[in-house]
Amino acid sequence: MPSDVHSKPSQSDIWLKQLFCGGMAGAAAKTTTAPLSRLAMLFQVHSLVSPKGLQNPSYASSLPSAFSKVWTREGFLAFWKGNGTSCMHRFPYSAINFAVYEKAQGWMGKGCRDEDGNSWRNITVRFLSGACAGTSAVIFCYPLDLIRTRLTTQQPATKYSYNGITDAAAKIVKYDGIGGLYVGLGTTLCVAVPSFSISYMVYGSLKEYVLDDERFSNFRKVGGDGSLRMGTVGTLFCGATSGSITAVVTYPIDVTRRRLQVQSQYIPEGQRMSAMDIFKGILKDEGTRGLYRGIVPELLKVVPFVGTMFGVYEVLREQFKLNTD
């Protein structure tokens, strides 16, 4: 009897393990796809930060030329510019995200799932749990997200040029006040909440379908305890599908919020725009295409990013024996 009591992990132990699994998964995925992330951001903000932005709104004519442009001007390691800040942001961001999702799913699941496990109830639980997770992670980690964006997209030789995380934070507070660290928070929530809601809903629903349907037997594996688990192919399939759908739906808002985050580096205070003004300006000056500028590297990173994130998360959860659905 004593051995059974001591072998059962406490809720705090489970919570810490979930935080660690989520943080490691996010940091690994961010580092793997850092080059494509940086290119996507450069495409997103180019027409705002470049003196010739409206005459030439695209950062480069193609993705290969964008790679060449960064490599020639800044060197190979420039593709990971700001990645240290990204990982500092992504570890707590993903940790909180996954942990809150698991907890919220457990709370909501008790009241929403019936004995027959109706799929619409499961989908609703995943959607609402994803919204809770995204909101919590964004609010807690937002200043690092803003600093990461500015470090990644900054132009040299201006008073807003930053020499690392602490210098960036100090200059933002100096020129924009404490509130400057939260510029664009509302717009970011407009991206993150539907993004994580859709991502978790689609991923969880596809995962459930893959594990239940014999046509997808090659996408799964048998765990050490005899239960069916997602295989590598299944994780990539579900992750890439959920990531692609999420990216296409939320990308225009993401372009808007990136420009909102960096505009104080390039636009005088009296001329700065609201999120709605930025959105309307993009439509007016660049058309619908401007709202999807950089979507190619964004979609190209979906498979390695989501595959790495969910893959690492599933492996670590299995190692820690965190078998909650």
Side-chain angles (χ1 to χ4, degrees), residues 93 97 101 126-139 185-201 246 249-250 253 257:
Y93 186 84
N97 199 335
Y101 175 76
R126 293 184 187 112
F127 186 88
L128 294 177
S129 298
C132 291
T135 302
S136 302
V138 167
I139 292 174
L185 174 60
T187 309
T188 300
L189 286 171
C190 288
V191 176
V193 173
S195 175
F196 285 110
S197 297
I198 296 169
S199 182
Y200 279 122
M201 179 185 70
T246 301
V249 171
T250 63
I253 310 176
R257 69 122 179 175

Side-chain angles (χ1 to χ4, degrees), residues 204-233:
S205 300
L206 285 175
K207 176 182 175 181
E208 184 178 61
Y209 190 69
V210 166
L211 292 177
D212 289 344
D213 197 312
E214 286 303 317
R215 288 177 294 181
F216 294 96
S217 58
N218 292 333
F219 285 17
R220 57 200 189 209
K221 64 181 180 180
V222 179
D225 57 357
S227 63
L228 288 177
R229 301 181 185 276
M230 293 281 284
T232 302
V233 175

Side-chain angles (χ1 to χ4, degrees), residues 78-289:
F79 289 110
W80 282 267
K81 188 176 182 179
N83 189 58
T85 315
S86 290
C87 289
M88 284 184 64
H89 165 262
R90 184 57 60 167
F91 190 96
Y93 186 84
S94 295
I96 293 168
N97 199 335
F98 278 111
V100 171
Y101 175 76
E102 298 286 0
K103 185 65 69 174
Q105 194 178 35
W107 289 335
M108 295 181 190
K110 292 177 182 178
C112 294
R113 290 177 185 168
D114 57 22
E115 294 179 357
D116 297 326
N118 289 335
S119 60
W120 73 267
R121 291 181 181 272
N122 294 340
I123 290 172
T124 302
V125 168
R126 293 184 187 112
F127 186 88
L128 294 177
S129 298
C132 291
T135 302
S136 302
V138 167
I139 292 174
F140 187 83
C141 304
Y142 188 75
L144 278 172
D145 181 42
L146 182 132
I147 291 171
R148 171 181 72 102
T149 300
R150 295 198 176 183
L151 285 173
T152 303
T153 60
Q154 71 174 334
Q155 301 293 311
T158 71
K159 71 173 183 177
Y160 287 105
S161 295
Y162 306 129
N163 297 313
I165 300 169
T166 55
D167 181 58
K171 285 183 177 177
I172 290 171
V173 172
K174 177 181 178 181
Y175 293 114
D176 302 323
I178 293 293
L181 293 171
Y182 290 90
V183 170
L185 174 60
T187 309
T188 300
L189 286 171
C190 288
V191 176
V193 173
S195 175
F196 285 110
S197 297
I198 296 169
S199 182
Y200 279 122
M201 179 185 70
V202 174
Y203 179 83
S205 300
L206 285 175
K207 176 182 175 181
E208 184 178 61
Y209 190 69
V210 166
L211 292 177
D212 289 344
D213 197 312
E214 286 303 317
R215 288 177 294 181
F216 294 96
S217 58
N218 292 333
F219 285 17
R220 57 200 189 209
K221 64 181 180 180
V222 179
D225 57 357
S227 63
L228 288 177
R229 301 181 185 276
M230 293 281 284
T232 302
V233 175
T235 298
L236 285 172
F237 169 73
C238 296
T241 303
S242 67
S244 298
I245 293 172
T246 301
V248 171
V249 171
T250 63
Y251 198 77
I253 310 176
D254 193 46
V255 172
T256 303
R257 69 122 179 175
R258 290 296 184 198
R259 297 193 184 192
L260 189 64
Q261 286 179 327
V262 303
Q263 69 171 338
S264 66
Q265 292 174 276
Y266 307 97
I267 299 176
E269 186 172 356
Q271 300 176 25
R272 293 172 193 170
M273 299 173 285
S274 66
M276 184 57 67
D277 289 335
I278 291 174
F279 184 86
K280 290 179 179 178
I282 294 172
L283 278 178
K284 178 183 176 182
D285 298 329
E286 304 175 48
T288 305
R289 185 176 181 181

Side-chain angles (χ1 to χ4, degrees), residues 62-90:
S62 65
L63 190 58
S65 64
F67 267 105
S68 176
K69 188 174 181 179
V70 173
W71 193 321
T72 302
R73 290 184 175 183
E74 305 177 61
F76 178 71
L77 292 180
F79 289 110
W80 282 267
K81 188 176 182 179
N83 189 58
T85 315
S86 290
C87 289
M88 284 184 64
H89 165 262
R90 184 57 60 167

